[in-house]
């Protein structure tokens, strides 16, 4: 499925912002504009990727 | 009617997974996205705008699927955290159009709702009732098809053989479907030395809407150093044997719509690992395309995997006795030094001579359960 250049560009920038962050390293990254689920109000919080890891492989 | 099978990536808000996937996304070959929507609790459920835009792109095309991790379907008690999980799912389902929602089979060890690992439960009419009740609640919250994934882990061969039929009973009232995780099947084939032809027929293949492939790891068996145990750790490349399983399984699953590649970000931290991830995706895509070249027509009547009548869930079904047993088992698995100590402790609990069938549990698999529970506690 083709993804628009705008979405891909934003993804590249988003990843660049947290370039120093990697999965499970428990490193907090810098805040950036974020979207709160279910609301239109952006919040200044940045994901801590530490707990995204067990999302599928719990073996 | 022509068939469509969508090569999909399991994708969380994880820099390593996303950066490994980026070239594939740019190429336009990722036809769908599977999102573990409940892994955002550490971020207070905040989604960065750029990730929201990616989810929305797939959602708008009806190609976003949700994969829950922490609901703990078989917890004997419906916990407040599960009610909150359902509420969040309801909210997310208004924001994104999920083509379907799935969860894992089992109950989660761990006192914290967001920790632990899924472990199996006894196959009884009581657990069927709890599982059906929870699936109905998920279906009610999401208002889309719901499904369950087969579990890699099992304590005994008997459990492995019966899992498919048990899954079928669970999904029947909601006209649900199965995620057939082929790496989980691979684990069972190896750990229980059972032929593929026998095991695969134990699953309701006409109910498979999604297939997972992934990698894992080997561990030496404690009772026999010459033997190894396969674990579904998702931290390595997809073994060639799993690709072969995919080739053999696709023709057996007339309703399959998504073939999903899963890998944890922890296994994608080097450029070499990212390249290997993309090669694995491309191989999965190629197998899918080759299958469709020869099976372009859908011969089976398409199943929309929605219930004929959607009724709001009734009174909560709970089993305090089962909940207590789960607490005991979780504690032992999370604290025992090894399988012998765990079994000794279990002998002094209500699980002895019970429907849990601990007397049939294989020592190496109990040891594996301990390692899994202690890894994720």
């Amino acid at each position: 499925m083709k993804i628009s250049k705008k979405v891909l560009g934003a993804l590249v920038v988003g990843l660049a912002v947290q370039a120093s962050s990697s999965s499970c390293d428990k490193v907090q990254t810098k805040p950036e504009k974020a979207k709160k689920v279910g609301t239109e109000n952006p919040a200044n919080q940045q994901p801590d990727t530490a707990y995204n890891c067990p999302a599928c492989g719990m073996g | 009617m022509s068939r469509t099978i969508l090569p999909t990536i399991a994708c969380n808000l994880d820099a390593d997974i996303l950066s490994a996937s980026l070239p594939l996304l740019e190429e336009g070959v990722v036809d769908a996205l599977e999102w573990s929507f409940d892994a955002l609790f550490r971020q207070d459920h905040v989604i960065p705008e750029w990730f929201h835009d990616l989810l929305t792109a797939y959602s708008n095309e009806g190609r976003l699927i949700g994969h829950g991790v922490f609901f703990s379907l078989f917890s004997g008690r419906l916990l407040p955290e599960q009610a909150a999980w359902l509420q969040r799912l309801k909210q997310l389902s208004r924001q994104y159009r999920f083509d379907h929602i799935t969860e894992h089979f089992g109950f989660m060890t761990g006192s914290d709702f967001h920790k632990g690992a899924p472990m199996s439960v006894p196959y009884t009419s009581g657990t069927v009732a709890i599982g059906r009740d929870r699936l109905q609640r998920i279906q009610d919250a999401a208002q889309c098809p719901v499904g369950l994934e087969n579990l890699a882990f099992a304590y005994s061969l008997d459990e492995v053989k019966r899992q498919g039929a048990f899954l079928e009973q669970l999904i029947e009232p909601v006209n649900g479907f199965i995620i057939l995780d082929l790496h989980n099947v691979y684990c069972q084939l190896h750990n229980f030395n059972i032929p593929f032809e026998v095991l695969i027929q134990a699953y309701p293949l006409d109910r498979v809407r999604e297939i997972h492939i992934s990698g894992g790891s080997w561990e030496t068996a404690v009772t026999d150093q010459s033997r190894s145990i396969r674990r579904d750790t998702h931290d390595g490349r997809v073994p060639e044997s799993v690709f072969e399983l995919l080739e053999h399984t696709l023709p057996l699953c007339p309703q399959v719509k998504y073939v999903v590649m899963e890998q944890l970000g922890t296994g994608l931290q080097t450029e070499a690992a990212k390249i290997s991830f993309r090669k694995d995706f491309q191989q999965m895509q190629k197998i899918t395309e080759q299958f469709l070249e020869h099976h372009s027509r859908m011969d089976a009547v398409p199943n929309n995997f929605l219930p004929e009548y959607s009724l709001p869930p009734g009174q909560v079904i709970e089993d305090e006795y089962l909940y207590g047993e789960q607490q005991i088992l979780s504690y032992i698995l999370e604290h025992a030094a090894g399988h012998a100590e765990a079994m000794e402790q279990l002998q002094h609990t209500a699980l002895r001579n019970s429907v849990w069938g601990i007397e049939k549990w294989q020592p190496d698999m109990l040891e594996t359960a301990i390692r899994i529970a202690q890894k994720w506690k």
Side-chain angles (χ1 to χ4, degrees), chain B residues 132 163-173 178 204 206-207:
Chain B
R132 285 179 168 182
Q163 193 186 125
F166 188 61
L167 284 168
E168 190 169 21
Q169 280 188 67
L170 291 165
I171 59 176
E172 191 260 325
I178 302 289
D206 60 336
R207 291 267 159 193

Side-chain angles (χ1 to χ4, degrees), chain B residues 3 171 176-181 203-211 249 252-258 305:
Chain B
R3 293 193 68 169
I171 59 176
F177 64 92
I178 302 289
I179 295 180
L180 189 63
D181 187 312
Y203 286 101
L205 298 173
D206 60 336
R207 291 267 159 193
V208 175
R209 193 181 202 220
E210 182 175 337
I211 288 176
T249 305
L252 305 174
C253 302
Q255 303 285 346
V256 69
K257 183 173 178 184
Y258 297 94
F305 292 107

Side-chain angles (χ1 to χ4, degrees), chain B residues 20-46:
Chain B
S21 305
L22 185 59
L24 299 170
L25 292 165
E26 288 173 330
E27 227 182 300
V29 293
V30 181
D31 282 341
L33 214 58
E34 178 169 270
W35 177 38
S36 286
F37 57 89
D38 60 356
L40 287 166
F41 57 93
R42 290 277 289 189
Q43 298 92 347
D44 192 25
H45 309 284
V46 172

Side-chain angles (χ1 to χ4, degrees), chain B residues 214-229:
Chain B
S214 64
S217 55
W218 298 103
E219 202 162 75
T220 304
V222 283
T223 60
D224 178 358
Q225 299 287 304
S226 66
R227 207 175 142 241
S228 59
I229 301 293

